[in-house]
Amino acid sequence: MTQRFPWPDERLIKAAQDGDVASLTTVVMESQPHVRKFALPLCASPQDAEDAAQEALIILYRKIGTLRATGALASWMFRIVRNECLRQVRLLVPRKDEQPVEPQAPAEPSAEDAVLQKLEVERIATAVGALPRDLRQVLIMRDIQGVPGKAVAQSLGLSTPAMKSRLHRARSALRQSLAATDRVPDRTDGRPVEGGAPP
């Protein structure tokens, strides 16, 4: 039977917010299994999930005072983990599209180009992050990180044909998601619009 870990109770969270170091340490320790559980399906690999979980716990330790409601710890931590997993993808996405820089090229793109590139990276990162975990893993390893197909298949415990099939499904799903966001206005909160159709 799987051991269940409770979230820290509200009194403990309040004491941690008030600066009690022992309470804060307990809150971080009791949150750790939940944060890791959040990270595994959201990140591209177990290592990325571990990194995201550690970063989220550091943020919890440093910024627990910014938590507005003690009962909202779980949703707050979920958002932090999700953002950290998406940040990892954003760090990888531009590398794939980087062009060799000519010596005489300007040091920085124009402000308009920079904004457009940032929006595009955000859009791709959000679409990749929304893929099911099995599709997201193969897509990130093969297309973003550039891992050879055979190595991807071995890493995921798949045959090469199975890996190619999964990669094809991942690319198709990503194309459909990006096409939907081309047609549908972005929400102000940055989340993709469900269903890909105007409200």
mmCIF file of all heavy atoms in Angstrom, residues 111-142:
data_model
loop_
_atom_site.group_PDB
_atom_site.id
_atom_site.type_symbol
_atom_site.label_atom_id
_atom_site.label_comp_id
_atom_site.label_asym_id
_atom_site.label_seq_id
_atom_site.Cartn_x
_atom_site.Cartn_y
_atom_site.Cartn_z
ATOM 1 N N ALA A 111 13.577 45.680 -30.352
ATOM 2 C CA ALA A 111 12.631 45.434 -29.249
ATOM 3 C C ALA A 111 11.427 44.646 -29.740
ATOM 4 O O ALA A 111 10.949 43.730 -29.073
ATOM 5 C CB ALA A 111 12.193 46.762 -28.645
ATOM 6 N N GLU A 112 10.954 44.961 -30.946
ATOM 7 C CA GLU A 112 9.788 44.257 -31.500
ATOM 8 C C GLU A 112 10.111 42.787 -31.749
ATOM 9 O O GLU A 112 9.328 41.900 -31.403
ATOM 10 C CB GLU A 112 9.343 44.921 -32.808
ATOM 11 C CG GLU A 112 8.087 44.293 -33.390
ATOM 12 C CD GLU A 112 7.670 44.930 -34.709
ATOM 13 O OE1 GLU A 112 8.307 45.909 -35.134
ATOM 14 O OE2 GLU A 112 6.714 44.418 -35.301
ATOM 15 N N ASP A 113 11.290 42.527 -32.347
ATOM 16 C CA ASP A 113 11.692 41.140 -32.600
ATOM 17 C C ASP A 113 11.834 40.363 -31.293
ATOM 18 O O ASP A 113 11.460 39.194 -31.208
ATOM 19 C CB ASP A 113 13.017 41.098 -33.367
ATOM 20 C CG ASP A 113 12.842 41.506 -34.828
ATOM 21 O OD1 ASP A 113 11.685 41.535 -35.297
ATOM 22 O OD2 ASP A 113 13.854 41.803 -35.486
ATOM 23 N N ALA A 114 12.396 41.018 -30.284
ATOM 24 C CA ALA A 114 12.595 40.348 -28.995
ATOM 25 C C ALA A 114 11.260 39.959 -28.375
ATOM 26 O O ALA A 114 11.092 38.861 -27.842
ATOM 27 C CB ALA A 114 13.367 41.253 -28.040
ATOM 28 N N VAL A 115 10.276 40.863 -28.460
ATOM 29 C CA VAL A 115 8.949 40.583 -27.907
ATOM 30 C C VAL A 115 8.291 39.436 -28.671
ATOM 31 O O VAL A 115 7.735 38.508 -28.080
ATOM 32 C CB VAL A 115 8.056 41.846 -27.948
ATOM 33 C CG1 VAL A 115 6.601 41.494 -27.637
ATOM 34 C CG2 VAL A 115 8.572 42.882 -26.963
ATOM 35 N N LEU A 116 8.364 39.472 -29.994
ATOM 36 C CA LEU A 116 7.762 38.422 -30.816
ATOM 37 C C LEU A 116 8.404 37.068 -30.532
ATOM 38 O O LEU A 116 7.724 36.046 -30.435
ATOM 39 C CB LEU A 116 7.880 38.763 -32.305
ATOM 40 C CG LEU A 116 7.002 39.936 -32.779
ATOM 41 C CD1 LEU A 116 7.327 40.290 -34.224
ATOM 42 C CD2 LEU A 116 5.519 39.600 -32.633
ATOM 43 N N GLN A 117 9.742 37.053 -30.401
ATOM 44 C CA GLN A 117 10.431 35.789 -30.127
ATOM 45 C C GLN A 117 10.023 35.249 -28.755
ATOM 46 O O GLN A 117 9.760 34.057 -28.600
ATOM 47 C CB GLN A 117 11.948 35.976 -30.178
ATOM 48 C CG GLN A 117 12.688 34.659 -29.962
ATOM 49 C CD GLN A 117 14.195 34.828 -29.948
ATOM 50 O OE1 GLN A 117 14.708 35.922 -29.747
ATOM 51 N NE2 GLN A 117 14.908 33.744 -30.149
ATOM 52 N N LYS A 118 9.930 36.148 -27.764
ATOM 53 C CA LYS A 118 9.536 35.713 -26.422
ATOM 54 C C LYS A 118 8.114 35.131 -26.431
ATOM 55 O O LYS A 118 7.854 34.093 -25.823
ATOM 56 C CB LYS A 118 9.614 36.893 -25.456
ATOM 57 C CG LYS A 118 9.281 36.531 -24.016
ATOM 58 C CD LYS A 118 9.490 37.725 -23.104
ATOM 59 C CE LYS A 118 9.276 37.335 -21.647
ATOM 60 N NZ LYS A 118 7.909 36.973 -21.320
ATOM 61 N N LEU A 119 7.208 35.797 -27.155
ATOM 62 C CA LEU A 119 5.837 35.290 -27.242
ATOM 63 C C LEU A 119 5.784 33.919 -27.908
ATOM 64 O O LEU A 119 5.044 33.030 -27.485
ATOM 65 C CB LEU A 119 4.952 36.278 -28.011
ATOM 66 C CG LEU A 119 4.616 37.585 -27.287
ATOM 67 C CD1 LEU A 119 3.892 38.537 -28.228
ATOM 68 C CD2 LEU A 119 3.785 37.326 -26.039
ATOM 69 N N GLU A 120 6.581 33.744 -28.966
ATOM 70 C CA GLU A 120 6.596 32.463 -29.673
ATOM 71 C C GLU A 120 7.159 31.356 -28.787
ATOM 72 O O GLU A 120 6.640 30.240 -28.742
ATOM 73 C CB GLU A 120 7.408 32.589 -30.970
ATOM 74 C CG GLU A 120 7.423 31.332 -31.817
ATOM 75 C CD GLU A 120 6.042 30.906 -32.332
ATOM 76 O OE1 GLU A 120 5.058 31.659 -32.199
ATOM 77 O OE2 GLU A 120 5.946 29.794 -32.866
ATOM 78 N N VAL A 121 8.243 31.665 -28.064
ATOM 79 C CA VAL A 121 8.828 30.676 -27.157
ATOM 80 C C VAL A 121 7.824 30.298 -26.074
ATOM 81 O O VAL A 121 7.659 29.127 -25.736
ATOM 82 C CB VAL A 121 10.140 31.225 -26.538
ATOM 83 C CG1 VAL A 121 10.604 30.344 -25.388
ATOM 84 C CG2 VAL A 121 11.224 31.312 -27.600
ATOM 85 N N GLU A 122 7.125 31.313 -25.519
ATOM 86 C CA GLU A 122 6.105 31.046 -24.500
ATOM 87 C C GLU A 122 5.016 30.133 -25.058
ATOM 88 O O GLU A 122 4.557 29.208 -24.400
ATOM 89 C CB GLU A 122 5.464 32.365 -24.042
ATOM 90 C CG GLU A 122 6.384 33.260 -23.252
ATOM 91 C CD GLU A 122 6.371 32.949 -21.775
ATOM 92 O OE1 GLU A 122 5.465 32.214 -21.331
ATOM 93 O OE2 GLU A 122 7.276 33.412 -21.066
ATOM 94 N N ARG A 123 4.594 30.412 -26.286
ATOM 95 C CA ARG A 123 3.521 29.636 -26.909
ATOM 96 C C ARG A 123 3.958 28.179 -27.117
ATOM 97 O O ARG A 123 3.212 27.246 -26.817
ATOM 98 C CB ARG A 123 3.169 30.285 -28.261
ATOM 99 C CG ARG A 123 1.881 29.778 -28.881
ATOM 100 C CD ARG A 123 1.478 30.679 -30.036
ATOM 101 N NE ARG A 123 2.295 30.454 -31.204
ATOM 102 C CZ ARG A 123 1.938 29.685 -32.231
ATOM 103 N NH1 ARG A 123 0.772 29.082 -32.225
ATOM 104 N NH2 ARG A 123 2.732 29.531 -33.266
ATOM 105 N N ILE A 124 5.183 27.991 -27.619
ATOM 106 C CA ILE A 124 5.684 26.635 -27.844
ATOM 107 C C ILE A 124 5.867 25.911 -26.513
ATOM 108 O O ILE A 124 5.484 24.749 -26.361
ATOM 109 C CB ILE A 124 7.013 26.665 -28.634
ATOM 110 C CG1 ILE A 124 6.765 27.192 -30.046
ATOM 111 C CG2 ILE A 124 7.637 25.276 -28.682
ATOM 112 C CD1 ILE A 124 8.031 27.487 -30.829
ATOM 113 N N ALA A 125 6.447 26.607 -25.530
ATOM 114 C CA ALA A 125 6.690 25.985 -24.224
ATOM 115 C C ALA A 125 5.382 25.548 -23.575
ATOM 116 O O ALA A 125 5.289 24.457 -23.004
ATOM 117 C CB ALA A 125 7.437 26.958 -23.311
ATOM 118 N N THR A 126 4.362 26.386 -23.680
ATOM 119 C CA THR A 126 3.058 26.047 -23.103
ATOM 120 C C THR A 126 2.450 24.841 -23.810
ATOM 121 O O THR A 126 1.912 23.930 -23.168
ATOM 122 C CB THR A 126 2.099 27.251 -23.194
ATOM 123 O OG1 THR A 126 2.672 28.343 -22.472
ATOM 124 C CG2 THR A 126 0.742 26.928 -22.603
ATOM 125 N N ALA A 127 2.573 24.817 -25.149
ATOM 126 C CA ALA A 127 2.018 23.694 -25.923
ATOM 127 C C ALA A 127 2.754 22.392 -25.607
ATOM 128 O O ALA A 127 2.138 21.334 -25.450
ATOM 129 C CB ALA A 127 2.098 24.007 -27.421
ATOM 130 N N VAL A 128 4.083 22.472 -25.498
ATOM 131 C CA VAL A 128 4.866 21.272 -25.155
ATOM 132 C C VAL A 128 4.502 20.800 -23.750
ATOM 133 O O VAL A 128 4.290 19.608 -23.504
ATOM 134 C CB VAL A 128 6.382 21.550 -25.259
ATOM 135 C CG1 VAL A 128 7.192 20.393 -24.684
ATOM 136 C CG2 VAL A 128 6.786 21.777 -26.714
ATOM 137 N N GLY A 129 4.401 21.744 -22.813
ATOM 138 C CA GLY A 129 4.064 21.388 -21.437
ATOM 139 C C GLY A 129 2.690 20.771 -21.283
ATOM 140 O O GLY A 129 2.443 20.033 -20.335
ATOM 141 N N ALA A 130 1.797 21.044 -22.233
ATOM 142 C CA ALA A 130 0.431 20.509 -22.163
ATOM 143 C C ALA A 130 0.317 19.102 -22.753
ATOM 144 O O ALA A 130 -0.711 18.452 -22.595
ATOM 145 C CB ALA A 130 -0.535 21.451 -22.890
ATOM 146 N N LEU A 131 1.353 18.632 -23.431
ATOM 147 C CA LEU A 131 1.301 17.286 -24.010
ATOM 148 C C LEU A 131 1.277 16.232 -22.908
ATOM 149 O O LEU A 131 1.833 16.445 -21.830
ATOM 150 C CB LEU A 131 2.537 17.038 -24.891
ATOM 151 C CG LEU A 131 2.642 17.810 -26.203
ATOM 152 C CD1 LEU A 131 4.001 17.563 -26.846
ATOM 153 C CD2 LEU A 131 1.533 17.418 -27.169
ATOM 154 N N PRO A 132 0.676 15.065 -23.174
ATOM 155 C CA PRO A 132 0.776 13.958 -22.215
ATOM 156 C C PRO A 132 2.248 13.613 -21.968
ATOM 157 O O PRO A 132 3.091 13.795 -22.848
ATOM 158 C CB PRO A 132 0.062 12.798 -22.918
ATOM 159 C CG PRO A 132 -0.830 13.451 -23.923
ATOM 160 C CD PRO A 132 -0.134 14.702 -24.348
ATOM 161 N N ARG A 133 2.544 13.128 -20.779
ATOM 162 C CA ARG A 133 3.944 12.926 -20.382
ATOM 163 C C ARG A 133 4.719 12.048 -21.359
ATOM 164 O O ARG A 133 5.859 12.350 -21.705
ATOM 165 C CB ARG A 133 3.981 12.302 -18.978
ATOM 166 C CG ARG A 133 5.397 12.129 -18.453
ATOM 167 C CD ARG A 133 5.386 11.698 -16.989
ATOM 168 N NE ARG A 133 6.744 11.505 -16.537
ATOM 169 C CZ ARG A 133 7.216 10.365 -16.062
ATOM 170 N NH1 ARG A 133 6.436 9.310 -15.999
ATOM 171 N NH2 ARG A 133 8.459 10.266 -15.656
ATOM 172 N N ASP A 134 4.132 10.934 -21.842
ATOM 173 C CA ASP A 134 4.879 10.030 -22.719
ATOM 174 C C ASP A 134 5.238 10.716 -24.035
ATOM 175 O O ASP A 134 6.343 10.532 -24.564
ATOM 176 C CB ASP A 134 4.107 8.728 -22.968
ATOM 177 C CG ASP A 134 2.731 8.964 -23.579
ATOM 178 O OD1 ASP A 134 2.184 10.076 -23.433
ATOM 179 O OD2 ASP A 134 2.203 8.031 -24.220
ATOM 180 N N LEU A 135 4.311 11.543 -24.556
ATOM 181 C CA LEU A 135 4.591 12.258 -25.800
ATOM 182 C C LEU A 135 5.582 13.397 -25.561
ATOM 183 O O LEU A 135 6.467 13.649 -26.378
ATOM 184 C CB LEU A 135 3.296 12.820 -26.394
ATOM 185 C CG LEU A 135 2.202 11.800 -26.737
ATOM 186 C CD1 LEU A 135 1.024 12.492 -27.410
ATOM 187 C CD2 LEU A 135 2.748 10.688 -27.624
ATOM 188 N N ARG A 136 5.429 14.078 -24.427
ATOM 189 C CA ARG A 136 6.314 15.210 -24.113
ATOM 190 C C ARG A 136 7.761 14.740 -23.971
ATOM 191 O O ARG A 136 8.689 15.378 -24.472
ATOM 192 C CB ARG A 136 5.832 15.880 -22.822
ATOM 193 C CG ARG A 136 6.603 17.140 -22.463
ATOM 194 C CD ARG A 136 5.970 17.854 -21.295
ATOM 195 N NE ARG A 136 6.042 17.095 -20.068
ATOM 196 C CZ ARG A 136 5.000 16.607 -19.412
ATOM 197 N NH1 ARG A 136 3.785 16.811 -19.862
ATOM 198 N NH2 ARG A 136 5.161 15.920 -18.305
ATOM 199 N N GLN A 137 7.959 13.610 -23.310
ATOM 200 C CA GLN A 137 9.314 13.101 -23.100
ATOM 201 C C GLN A 137 10.031 12.862 -24.426
ATOM 202 O O GLN A 137 11.160 13.316 -24.628
ATOM 203 C CB GLN A 137 9.271 11.779 -22.322
ATOM 204 C CG GLN A 137 9.092 11.947 -20.841
ATOM 205 C CD GLN A 137 9.121 10.598 -20.142
ATOM 206 O OE1 GLN A 137 8.569 9.610 -20.636
ATOM 207 N NE2 GLN A 137 9.769 10.542 -19.008
ATOM 208 N N VAL A 138 9.373 12.134 -25.328
ATOM 209 C CA VAL A 138 10.033 11.773 -26.582
ATOM 210 C C VAL A 138 10.263 13.008 -27.449
ATOM 211 O O VAL A 138 11.298 13.154 -28.100
ATOM 212 C CB VAL A 138 9.246 10.659 -27.333
ATOM 213 C CG1 VAL A 138 7.948 11.177 -27.911
ATOM 214 C CG2 VAL A 138 10.094 10.031 -28.431
ATOM 215 N N LEU A 139 9.315 13.939 -27.446
ATOM 216 C CA LEU A 139 9.459 15.157 -28.250
ATOM 217 C C LEU A 139 10.620 16.010 -27.754
ATOM 218 O O LEU A 139 11.436 16.487 -28.545
ATOM 219 C CB LEU A 139 8.156 15.967 -28.202
ATOM 220 C CG LEU A 139 8.188 17.230 -29.062
ATOM 221 C CD1 LEU A 139 7.944 16.887 -30.522
ATOM 222 C CD2 LEU A 139 7.160 18.243 -28.585
ATOM 223 N N ILE A 140 10.701 16.210 -26.440
ATOM 224 C CA ILE A 140 11.776 17.045 -25.892
ATOM 225 C C ILE A 140 13.131 16.398 -26.120
ATOM 226 O O ILE A 140 14.087 17.060 -26.554
ATOM 227 C CB ILE A 140 11.533 17.322 -24.390
ATOM 228 C CG1 ILE A 140 10.345 18.277 -24.235
ATOM 229 C CG2 ILE A 140 12.762 17.923 -23.737
ATOM 230 C CD1 ILE A 140 9.944 18.552 -22.804
ATOM 231 N N MET A 141 13.231 15.089 -25.864
ATOM 232 C CA MET A 141 14.521 14.425 -26.029
ATOM 233 C C MET A 141 14.991 14.445 -27.479
ATOM 234 O O MET A 141 16.146 14.737 -27.772
ATOM 235 C CB MET A 141 14.443 12.981 -25.515
ATOM 236 C CG MET A 141 14.282 12.898 -24.006
ATOM 237 S SD MET A 141 14.138 11.182 -23.432
ATOM 238 C CE MET A 141 15.836 10.627 -23.653
ATOM 239 N N ARG A 142 14.049 14.181 -28.405
ATOM 240 C CA ARG A 142 14.446 14.039 -29.815
ATOM 241 C C ARG A 142 14.556 15.393 -30.520
ATOM 242 O O ARG A 142 15.569 15.685 -31.172
ATOM 243 C CB ARG A 142 13.417 13.157 -30.547
ATOM 244 C CG ARG A 142 13.805 12.835 -31.984
ATOM 245 C CD ARG A 142 14.955 11.830 -32.037
ATOM 246 N NE ARG A 142 15.473 11.681 -33.382
ATOM 247 C CZ ARG A 142 16.496 12.365 -33.871
ATOM 248 N NH1 ARG A 142 17.121 13.266 -33.128
ATOM 249 N NH2 ARG A 142 16.920 12.153 -35.110
#
